[in-house]
């Protein structure tokens, strides 16, 4: 694999470093440019205002999105909006009834003119592939793995606020992104699957940010050697590179895919033009890829399985070091106790969801396991097809029979294993999964209770090979398997009988069905002239994931209750955070009720006294009180807006970071009226510490007048004051108005 140091031209189907054409013209010849501009309403090809063709959400996010839009005056869904139920599919978790949310979703689809997919029918992205994708289209989803580039659709995963904007006929605003060519040659060797290719790419680009917030455009002759399903399996994992979106050239195999799914009109050939210019390029010989494993605790911690087996103890020591970064001394994490006779033993295998649950992945696993026995020890293999049509095809072609005969358990379409709501391993157990992520605690373990398991990511083929070897880590290339390549038959009648499709017709007379756990967003205050923020958490990990900011899994029980969910904020990373934040929120509530600073807590009174010595105009009317956190690089991972909204409802006004891991997390902060502060001088000698106050005079003026930076002052416990500089990066005019209003809901109300 080769990463180019500079830009690249596509000339006669090959990458070249030099070409006689102009870069401006070359940029316009990419597939990405043509699709983005087709959906751009700004008239400026550098500053995009995108209107999407369709949007989609699942049952952890759609309640909050619709509640946000309803609070802003929603009357009808103005574009196709699909509500899938694949995350909170279980009937009750943590004391709340998930079906209440599902009935909310169904009645909203009826009232506003949407599409409702019942539980167990399909995971969000499989339904979008089967029923929504189209060549040259754009889809926005409230899930980070919204990626349909292999089918010719540019798709973007964002927080719920961005979908609410689309429901209110507003736009997705973003600077024109860089585009990087992913140039494929060769063919995968038997036993290598899409997850292997994806993990190799993620390993090469995550740490260096090579494709961060850019579009990955897949081209090259190697694409023709991949089935549509294989391409989909690579494409869905592009999210883990931190890219903005993806797009692939399309051909007869994609045309056939659409025909199989009864939508031949959705296909058209997409190719970059002669002399297309890319901001960078990655060359990949598919024939050089070998079965991969991403060890805990990130998809980029990838090795070949051969390398792990050859250097087992040193790889496990590296994994233990990563555990120390994430968990410190809270738990004693090790996988060395999994080594038996020099081989790594695995407790569990899972093939599931939008990444692993595809037809070809499960067929390949069945081919490897046919006639074999996974044993009756601790090792267990669970398989979740990505949709009921896929389920039916696997049932009819004999794949399920082969899997069950080998000891596997077949289940229905469900995203739970991917985010900790299903198949949570035992304490100390090690799970291998063809799913999307293996972040700390993502599989559902609870470090606060001393319980920790871990996940490695692998392809379905090597998971099946490991199962055939009764739980000992094994690459699929060690088995001389004859892959059956069974043809797929899609039965859309399954959806016609169960999915509610309004066909875009709203029925305003329908009453929305609310459950007792569905709560409105609390009132939020507009930005004040100045801010006095208490630092309530300080995180120095190289990257902080959204799963660490707001855990997944059992916390999803409160997905529709903003205050209830907020109680889990940073619970696995900094359990003291919620208490600290609520203490400061109480002081802000006093201020909003006209209590004077000198009647507030002693720490507020003292901090204000120090501040007023330098800024005597500070008073209760012009200075808001709130909390902030510091993190080196927060926001990798999920698009869930709750990672930001939970901080907001606890009184958060800002994040301070050296940089933000993804655009979507920064967008979530902004949509909830939180300032995405950037502190450029690293994290080694911060001018503030946990429990210090940060005073920011003139913050409202900074946002209004588009000032590049602002002076802030750290008020230390000993009374000393440290001056330092903060910036917020580029903001659109609407983003500034959202922050000034206090949140997107307030902005929409004010904008009428």
């Amino acid at each position: 694999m080769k990463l180019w140091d500079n830009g690249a031209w596509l000339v006669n189907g090959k990458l070249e470093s030099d070409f006689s054409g102009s870069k401006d013209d070359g940029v316009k010849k990419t597939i990405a440019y043509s699709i983005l501009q087709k959906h751009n309403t700004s008239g400026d090809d550098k500053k995009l205002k995108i209107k999407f063709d369709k949007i989609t959400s699942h049952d952890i996010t759609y309640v909050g999105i619709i509640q946000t839009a309803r609070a802003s005056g929603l009357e009808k869904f103005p574009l196709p909006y699909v509500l899938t139920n694949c995350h909170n599919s279980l009937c009750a978790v943590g004391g709340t009834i998930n079906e209440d949310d599902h009935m909310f979703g169904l009645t909203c689809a009826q009232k506003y003119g949407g599409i409702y997919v019942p539980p167990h029918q399909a995971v969000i992205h499989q339904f979008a592939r089967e029923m929504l994708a189209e060549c040259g289209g754009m889809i926005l989803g409230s899930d980070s793995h919204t990626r349909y580039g292999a089918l010719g659709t540019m798709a973007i995963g964002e927080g719920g606020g961005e979908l609410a904007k689309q429901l209110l006929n507003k736009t997705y605003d973003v600077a024109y992104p860089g585009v990087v060519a992913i140039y494929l040659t060769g063919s995968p060797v038997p036993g290598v699957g899409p997850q292997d290719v994806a993990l190799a790419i993620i390993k090469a680009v995550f740490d260096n940010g090579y494709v961060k917030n850019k579009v990955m455009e897949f081209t090259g002759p190697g694409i023709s050697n991949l089935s549509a399903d294989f391409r989909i399996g690579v494409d869905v994992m592009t999210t883990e590179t931190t890219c903005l979106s993806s797009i692939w050239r399309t051909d007869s195999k994609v045309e056939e895919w659409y025909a199989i799914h009864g939508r031949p009109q959705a296909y058209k050939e997409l190719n970059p033009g002669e002399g297309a210019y890319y901001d960078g390029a990655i060359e990949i010989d598919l024939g050089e890829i070998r079965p991969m494993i991403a060890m805990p605790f990130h998809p980029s911690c990838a090795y070949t399985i051969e390398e792990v087996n050859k250097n087992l103890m040193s790889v496990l020591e590296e994994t233990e070091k990563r555990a120390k970064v994430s968990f410190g001394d809270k738990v004693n994490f090790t996988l060395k106790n999994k080594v038996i006779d020099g081989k790594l033993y695995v407790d569990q295998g899972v093939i599931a969801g939008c990444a692993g649950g595809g037809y070809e992945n499960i067929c390949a696993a069945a081919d490897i396991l046919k006639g074999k026995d996974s044993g009756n020890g601790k090792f267990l293999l669970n398989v979740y097809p990505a949709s009921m049509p896929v389920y039916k095809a696997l049932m009819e072609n004999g794949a399920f029979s082969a899997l069950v005969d080998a000891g596997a358990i077949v289940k229905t379409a469900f995203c739970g294993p991917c985010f900790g709501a299903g198949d949570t391993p035992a304490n100390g157990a090690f799970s291998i999964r063809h799913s999307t992520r293996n972040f700390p605690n993502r599989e559902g373990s609870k470090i606060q209770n001393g319980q920790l398991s871990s996940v490695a990511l692998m392809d379905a083929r090597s998971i099946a090979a490991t199962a055939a070897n009764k739980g000992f880590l094994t690459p699929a290339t060690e088995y001389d398997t004859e892959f059956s390549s069974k043809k797929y038959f899609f039965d859309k009648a399954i959806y016609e009988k169960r999915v509610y499709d309004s066909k875009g017709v709203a029925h305003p007379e329908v009453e929305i069905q609310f459950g007792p756990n569905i709560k409105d967003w609390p009132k939020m205050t507009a930005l004040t002239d100045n801010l006095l923020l208490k630092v309530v958490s300080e995180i120095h990990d190289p990257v902080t994931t959204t799963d660490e900011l707001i855990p997944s899994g059992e916390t999803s029980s409160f997905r529709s209750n903003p205050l209830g969910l907020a109680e889990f904020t940073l619970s696995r990373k900094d359990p003291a955070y919620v208490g600290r934040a609520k203490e400061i929120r109480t002081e802000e509530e006093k201020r909003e009720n006209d209590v004077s600073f000198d009647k507030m807590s002693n720490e507020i009174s003292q901090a204000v006294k120090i501040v007023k010595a330098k800024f005597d105009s500070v008073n209760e009317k012009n200075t808001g009180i709130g909390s902030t956190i510091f993190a080196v690089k927060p926001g990798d991972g999920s698009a869930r807006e709750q990672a930001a909204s939970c901080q907001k409802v606890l009184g958060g006004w800002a994040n301070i970071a050296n940089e933000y891991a993804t655009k979507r997390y920064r967008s979530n902060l902004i949509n909830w009226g939180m300032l995405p502060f950037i502190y450029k001088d690293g994290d080694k000698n911060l001018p503030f510490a946990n429990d210090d106050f940060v005073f920011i005079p003139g913050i409202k003026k900074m946002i209004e007048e588009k000032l590049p930076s602002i002076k802030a002052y750290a008020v230390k416990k000993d009374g000393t004051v440290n001056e330092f500089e903060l910036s917020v990066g580029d903001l659109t005019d609407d983003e500034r108005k959202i922050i000034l209003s206090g949140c997107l809901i307030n902005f929409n109300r004010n904008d009428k």
Side-chain angles (χ1 to χ4, degrees):
M1 189 174 302
K2 174 187 174 184
L3 276 61
W4 284 47
D5 294 331
N6 298 300
W9 302 85
L10 192 64
V11 183
N12 295 322
K14 296 182 179 179
L15 293 178
E16 302 286 354
S17 57
D18 294 306
F19 183 64
S20 58
S22 76
K23 288 184 180 179
D24 286 345
D25 289 341
V27 165
K28 296 176 181 179
K29 294 178 179 178
T30 63
I31 304 171
Y33 182 89
S34 63
I35 296 176
L36 287 168
Q37 298 307 329
K38 174 186 172 185
H39 294 82
N40 178 27
T41 64
S42 72
D44 183 341
D45 67 356
K46 298 292 192 296
K47 295 181 180 179
L48 309 180
K49 289 182 173 292
I50 300 294
K51 284 205 168 184
F52 289 84
D53 300 306
K54 300 159 188 172
I55 60 176
T56 184
S57 297
H58 54 65
D59 48 349
I60 283 182
T61 57
Y62 67 60
V63 175
I65 292 166
I66 295 172
Q67 289 287 70
T68 299
R70 287 181 67 246
S72 305
L74 174 70
E75 295 181 355
K76 181 184 185 297
F77 294 158
L79 74 172
Y81 185 18
V82 176
L83 311 178
T84 62
N85 297 277
C86 52
H87 280 60
N88 281 326
S89 305
L90 306 179
C91 63
V93 177
T96 67
I97 305 299
N98 294 335
E99 194 67 9
D100 285 346
D101 282 5
H102 300 159
M103 291 302 97
F104 174 92
L106 174 58
T107 53
C108 283
Q110 293 168 338
K111 184 179 186 69
Y112 298 120
I115 301 167
Y116 173 84
V117 183
H120 305 287
Q121 289 296 303
V123 301
I124 178 173
H125 304 307
Q126 186 66 13
F127 186 85
R129 294 164 189 153
E130 293 170 348
M131 304 302 292
L132 303 181
E134 57 185 345
C135 292
M138 289 193 74
I139 295 175
L140 182 68
S142 59
D143 184 277
S144 56
H145 291 99
T146 307
R147 290 285 191 273
Y148 317 127
L151 298 174
T153 301
M154 282 191 71
I156 297 175
E158 273 283 1
E162 294 301 326
L163 277 81
K165 290 177 185 177
Q166 296 289 311
L167 291 177
L168 298 167
N169 286 305
K170 298 184 185 295
T171 56
Y172 177 75
D173 301 346
V174 62
Y176 184 79
V179 182
V180 175
I182 315 300
Y183 190 80
L184 304 181
T185 61
S187 300
V189 301
V192 166
Q195 188 83 324
D196 299 317
V197 177
L199 293 177
I201 295 172
I202 295 163
K203 179 181 177 65
V205 304
F206 178 78
D207 285 341
N208 57 28
Y210 192 80
V211 296
K212 180 180 176 181
N213 293 332
K214 297 177 181 176
V215 176
M216 298 173 71
E217 183 159 310
F218 287 76
T219 185
I223 290 178
S224 299
N225 300 325
L226 304 177
S227 69
D229 250 23
F230 197 112
R231 300 176 202 183
I232 287 168
V234 176
D235 186 61
V236 70
M237 292 297 291
T238 59
T239 294
E240 304 312 319
T241 67
T242 70
C243 75
L244 179 72
S245 186
S246 64
I247 191 68
W248 295 54
R249 71 169 181 82
T250 60
D251 58 15
S252 59
K253 291 184 179 178
V254 176
E255 183 177 21
E256 180 187 27
W257 196 93
Y258 278 116
I260 287 171
H261 288 82
R263 299 192 296 120
Q265 73 283 358
Y267 174 77
K268 71 176 180 180
E269 187 174 347
L270 300 177
N271 281 300
E274 179 69 9
Y277 178 77
Y278 296 94
D279 299 279
I282 304 170
E283 293 183 73
I284 303 169
D285 182 347
L286 294 165
E288 293 181 355
I289 304 295
R290 292 296 178 267
M292 304 287 290
I293 179 170
M295 296 293 285
F297 293 93
H298 196 275
S300 63
C301 301
Y303 310 80
T304 64
I305 296 176
E306 180 184 12
E307 180 184 1
V308 171
N309 286 337
K310 184 178 179 180
N311 305 297
L312 185 54
M313 298 311 290
S314 64
V315 170
L316 297 183
E317 285 173 6
E318 290 175 6
T319 305
E320 289 178 4
K321 289 177 183 176
R322 287 193 293 273
K324 284 287 185 187
V325 171
S326 293
F327 305 121
D329 296 322
K330 296 175 186 176
V331 293
N332 182 25
F333 174 83
T334 186
L335 291 176
K336 291 178 181 175
N337 58 354
K338 302 296 178 187
V339 180
I340 301 173
D341 296 331
K343 299 177 182 178
L344 185 61
Y345 183 76
V346 175
D347 299 286
Q348 180 194 67
V350 178
I351 301 170
C354 59
Y359 177 79
E360 287 184 9
N361 288 328
I362 297 175
C363 282
D367 289 337
I368 291 170
L369 280 166
K370 187 174 183 179
K372 299 182 177 67
D373 177 4
S374 61
N376 59 4
K378 287 192 294 183
F379 179 82
L380 178 66
L381 175 61
N382 291 332
V383 179
Y384 295 78
S387 71
M388 196 53 70
V390 171
Y391 188 106
K392 183 180 180 183
L394 293 166
M395 182 171 58
E396 292 177 344
N397 74 11
F400 277 177
S401 180
L403 289 167
V404 172
D405 284 347
I409 298 173
V410 175
K411 303 185 179 183
T412 53
F414 179 38
C415 296
C418 188
F419 71 98
D423 294 345
T424 301
N427 182 50
F430 182 44
S431 178
I432 53 173
R433 301 188 174 189
H434 192 157
S435 57
T436 58
R437 290 192 173 124
N438 61 336
F439 295 164
N441 303 124
R442 178 150 177 117
E443 80 298 335
S445 60
K446 298 180 177 66
I447 187 173
Q448 66 270 36
N449 295 334
Q451 188 262 333
L452 177 64
S453 50
S454 58
V455 165
L457 302 181
M458 286 169 51
D459 188 84
R461 293 149 189 81
S462 290
I463 293 173
T466 300
N469 203 10
K470 295 181 170 53
F472 287 99
L473 184 66
T474 305
T477 48
E478 286 193 8
Y479 283 86
D480 186 16
T481 304
E482 184 176 340
F483 292 101
S484 57
S485 301
K486 293 176 174 135
K487 186 174 176 61
Y488 178 55
F489 297 94
F490 175 76
D491 183 359
K492 72 174 183 178
I494 293 171
Y495 291 151
E496 291 172 343
K497 293 172 182 175
R498 289 294 302 129
V499 172
Y500 172 79
D501 186 351
S502 70
K503 309 294 186 184
V505 177
H507 296 280
E509 71 280 5
V510 172
E511 293 291 330
I512 298 173
Q513 184 171 326
F514 290 88
N517 188 53
I518 298 175
K519 307 294 184 183
D520 291 331
W521 292 106
K523 179 184 175 183
M524 298 178 193
T525 305
L527 183 64
T528 51
D529 294 339
N530 317 305
L531 286 177
L532 180 64
L533 306 179
K534 186 176 183 181
V535 182
V536 291
S537 189
E538 190 179 345
I539 305 170
H540 291 269
D541 293 0
V543 178
T544 303
T545 68
T546 46
D547 283 69
E548 291 171 306
L549 292 167
I550 180 66
S552 55
E554 86 282 2
T555 61
S556 64
S557 302
F558 295 92
R559 70 267 145 200
S560 307
N561 182 338
L563 292 174
L565 184 62
E567 294 290 330
F568 294 92
T569 313
L570 280 171
S571 59
R572 296 178 188 168
K573 195 68 185 173
D574 184 357
Y577 164 80
V578 171
R580 293 193 191 111
K582 289 168 77 171
E583 286 176 2
I584 297 302
R585 184 184 66 185
T586 298
E587 302 305 306
E588 170 63 9
E589 290 169 350
K590 292 177 183 176
R591 185 193 73 83
E592 292 172 10
N593 287 310
D594 298 323
V595 175
S596 62
F597 285 141
D598 59 2
K599 298 290 179 61
M600 294 186 190
S601 68
N602 183 62
E603 66 172 358
I604 292 293
S605 299
Q606 290 301 312
V608 170
K609 184 177 180 180
I610 294 168
V611 167
K612 284 180 72 70
K614 186 175 178 66
F615 300 92
D616 60 4
S617 64
V618 166
N619 59 52
E620 297 82 357
K621 298 294 185 184
N622 64 21
T623 303
I625 299 170
S627 59
T628 187
I629 67 170
F630 170 81
V632 175
K633 189 178 179 180
D636 184 30
S638 173
R640 285 174 297 146
E641 64 181 302
Q642 292 98 327
S645 65
C646 285
Q647 295 179 56
K648 180 67 173 184
V649 300
L650 290 171
W653 274 105
N655 277 192
I656 302 175
N658 295 146
E659 65 173 303
Y660 292 93
T662 59
K663 178 200 173 295
R664 55 184 173 270
Y665 177 67
R666 183 175 180 272
S667 295
N668 285 338
L669 292 174
I670 293 166
N671 283 329
W672 287 104
M674 297 181 69
L675 290 144
F677 283 130
I678 298 170
Y679 176 70
K680 295 180 179 179
D681 294 333
D683 72 317
K684 299 304 180 187
N685 295 296
L686 291 175
F688 53 81
N690 216 13
D691 286 336
D692 287 344
F693 282 90
V694 174
F695 178 65
I696 310 164
I699 182 59
K700 185 176 180 180
K701 178 181 178 181
M702 177 202 184
I703 299 301
E704 287 176 334
E705 299 184 7
K706 304 181 181 181
L707 303 179
S709 63
I710 194 168
K711 296 293 184 184
Y713 300 86
V715 181
K716 312 289 286 184
K717 292 180 182 178
D718 62 4
T720 59
V721 177
N722 297 332
E723 180 182 298
F724 62 103
E725 189 172 35
L726 292 172
S727 60
V728 292
D730 293 334
L731 294 170
T732 68
D733 288 344
D734 276 357
E735 286 175 335
R736 292 178 187 279
K737 291 175 184 176
I738 291 167
I739 290 173
L740 291 168
S741 299
C743 66
L744 179 64
I745 294 172
N746 293 354
F747 166 69
N748 288 330
R749 285 172 177 161
N750 298 339
D751 198 41
K752 286 185 178 180

